Amino acid sequence: MTTILAIESSCDETAASVCRDGKILSNIIAEQKVHEQYGGVVPELASRAHIQNIVPVIDKALKDAKCEINDIDAIAFTQSPGLIGALLVGSEFAKSLSLALDKPLIAVHHMQAHVLSNLIPSMTGGRDDPKPSFPFLCLTVSGGHTQIVLCESPTKMKVLGETIDDAAGEAFDKSAKLLGLPYPGGPLIDKYAQQGDPDKFKFPEPQVPGLDFSFSGLKTSILYFLQNAGKSNIYKEEFMAAEKEKNDFIKNNLPDICASIQSRIISILLNKLKKAAIQTNIKDVCIAGGVSANSGLRKSFEELGKKQHWNTFIPKIEYSTDNAAMIAITGYYKYLSEEFSDLSVSASARAKW
Ligand code: KG4
Ligand code: ZN
């Protein structure tokens, strides 16, 4: 039996999970509401909240798993990428535990963990859900990253394409901000889009070569579209609307605007994923990361998968957004291949695979 304790603290969630032989026994997340009033994550406040949360969160994860700290065989933690102060809280805590318990330490890459969230065992109607076979493709869409990953084994992955500017999550959050919605706006755009017409307004699809993505042009076109109260997507002084006209336009068309923005973000993502699947001739295709919680993306991905004869895989919502269960499953596979770190390992805001 192999029992892993995992800690995730890369951004504004303090999370801990226990997994045994690849099965998740507990998955605890403390969210940090303090950032809402600032319209985005404040790194220093995130670090302080992690310090306050980390002991109770780990304690609850052990209790829920009916585990004693001495039952743990290894400690996995998010080493990179993320906010450096936030990562340091989790990594230093993991290192201290490893030293005190004399148990191995496993450094985990947050984006690789998002990919492997698709391997977390789950059940529907009393049956085990099927899992992707290697090699598979994963579209990983989060607040800081947008990548198409070729996953050859749990410890061997290659990025085939990624964003050259904003991430998909940022495209959602920045669009929401332009609409006057609070942070994080992605889930709110999702909510309003469900009542809107995705074909009502047209936003441009960027022409980026290969499998890379770009979202900054979309953001600019949404900005002009709103400043022009829906008359145009391009900058023209004669179109500029008065503040009240702009706000009334948003108020009267919010569901249609959200549905149209969401539909364009989804088509940008899925067109590249389709291209990657054709190029690699891979039929097992997954999505992962916070944006994979989006109901429109989940639906369109399933529909595309049916048309393309893919086997599609989507993590359960609680494993899509940031969580420690994905760090635990990645830690488990790294444990099996004996990929341990020593105490000199340090957290890193940016890191290669
Ligand atoms: O993976 P994640 O939880 O954290 C990072 O690693 O960044 O992703 C967070 C991102 C945020 O941009 C958030 O707005 C977006 O995921 N997100 C969504 C939805 N739920 C979370 N975007 C669109 N629709 C959603 N339902
Ligand atoms: Zn994430």
Side-chain angles (χ1 to χ4, degrees):
M1 259 189 346
T2 304
T3 308
I4 310 279
L5 169 67
I7 302 169
E8 153 64 33
S9 69
S10 64
C11 191
D12 59 341
E13 279 100 6
T14 320
S17 169
V18 174
C19 99
R20 180 164 293 147
D21 295 336
K23 200 167 156 241
I24 302 300
L25 300 184
S26 64
N27 183 33
I28 305 300
I29 301 178
E31 283 172 3
Q32 304 178 0
K33 295 276 170 224
V34 62
H35 307 286
E36 265 170 27
Q37 60 189 300
Y38 301 101
V41 177
V42 183
E44 177 60 21
L45 295 180
S47 310
R48 290 176 193 210
H50 284 308
I51 291 170
Q52 282 179 338
N53 292 341
I54 197 155
V55 171
V57 164
I58 291 177
D59 199 41
K60 177 103 173 71
L62 289 168
K63 283 201 176 106
D64 279 15
K66 300 191 176 35
C67 238
E68 298 290 331
I69 191 82
N70 286 313
D71 299 335
I72 299 297
D73 294 303
I75 299 122
F77 69 99
T78 306
Q79 185 231 343
S80 150
L83 302 171
I84 190 63
L87 287 166
L88 277 168
V89 177
S91 60
E92 293 308 303
F93 199 95
K95 282 157 75 172
S96 311
L97 266 184
S98 157
L99 185 65
L101 301 171
D102 195 21
K103 298 287 160 130
L105 191 62
I106 302 171
V108 171
H109 190 295
H110 182 88
M111 296 313 293
Q112 293 187 351
H114 270 305
V115 172
L116 297 188
S117 64
N118 280 289
L119 299 185
I120 295 175
S122 57
M123 292 182 98
T124 314
R127 283 177 178 218
D128 286 334
D129 294 331
K131 294 292 153 202
S133 311
F134 298 102
F136 64 81
L137 285 180
C138 184
L139 169 71
T140 319
V141 272
S142 73
H145 294 79
T146 301
Q147 299 178 324
I148 296 179
V149 177
L150 169 65
C151 186
E152 294 176 62
S153 79
T155 53
K156 196 165 173 226
M157 300 184 205
K158 201 169 141 195
V159 178
L160 302 183
E162 60 191 329
T163 183
I164 56 171
D165 42 54
D166 289 347
E170 272 176 298
F172 270 106
D173 295 339
K174 288 180 178 173
S175 305
K177 201 169 189 173
L178 293 173
L179 292 166
L181 300 172
Y183 178 86
L188 288 171
I189 294 206
D190 187 354
K191 186 179 133 204
Y192 289 113
Q194 288 171 30
Q195 288 118 48
D197 172 4
D199 298 318
K200 181 77 183 279
F201 303 111
K202 289 273 170 253
F203 295 105
E205 175 150 7
Q207 301 304 314
V208 184
L211 297 175
D212 287 337
F213 302 90
S214 166
F215 289 98
S216 66
L218 174 65
K219 180 187 62 193
T220 311
S221 107
I222 295 167
L223 173 72
Y224 291 144
F225 170 80
L226 296 176
Q227 280 180 343
N228 298 335
K231 290 187 208 83
S232 161
N233 283 332
I234 50 167
Y235 178 78
K236 271 204 180 153
E237 266 187 29
E238 61 264 35
F239 286 148
M240 291 303 217
E243 195 65 10
K244 184 176 178 322
E245 192 189 344
K246 175 189 136 186
N247 291 339
D248 285 349
F249 171 74
I250 295 175
K251 207 169 119 204
N252 297 332
N253 296 279
L254 192 57
D256 290 341
I257 300 173
C258 288
S260 302
I261 293 173
Q262 180 172 296
S263 141
R264 176 51 79 211
I265 295 175
I266 293 172
S267 77
I268 294 173
L269 293 171
L270 292 185
N271 285 344
K272 291 286 174 148
L273 184 60
K274 183 172 153 191
K275 195 169 172 186
I278 292 169
Q279 275 180 16
T280 54
N281 199 21
I282 289 175
K283 296 280 179 203
D284 280 24
V285 188
C286 312
I287 55 175
V291 178
S292 73
N294 182 270
S295 59
L297 177 61
R298 290 169 99 92
K299 189 164 166 271
S300 303
F301 171 64
E302 295 280 19
E303 286 167 3
L304 176 66
K306 266 199 196 105
K307 274 196 210 137
Q308 299 297 117
H309 306 291
W310 295 345
N311 305 311
T312 51
F313 303 89
I314 306 180
K316 282 168 76 179
I317 294 270
E318 63 261 42
Y319 303 137
S320 289
T321 47
D322 281 353
N323 66 88
M326 67 184 194
I327 308 298
I329 194 91
T330 309
Y332 171 67
Y333 284 110
K334 285 192 134 187
Y335 185 95
L336 295 182
S337 55
E338 298 184 12
E339 287 190 32
F340 301 118
S341 294
D342 61 34
L343 290 173
S344 66
V345 65
S346 58
S348 162
R350 288 170 188 276
K352 294 203 175 113
W353 287 95

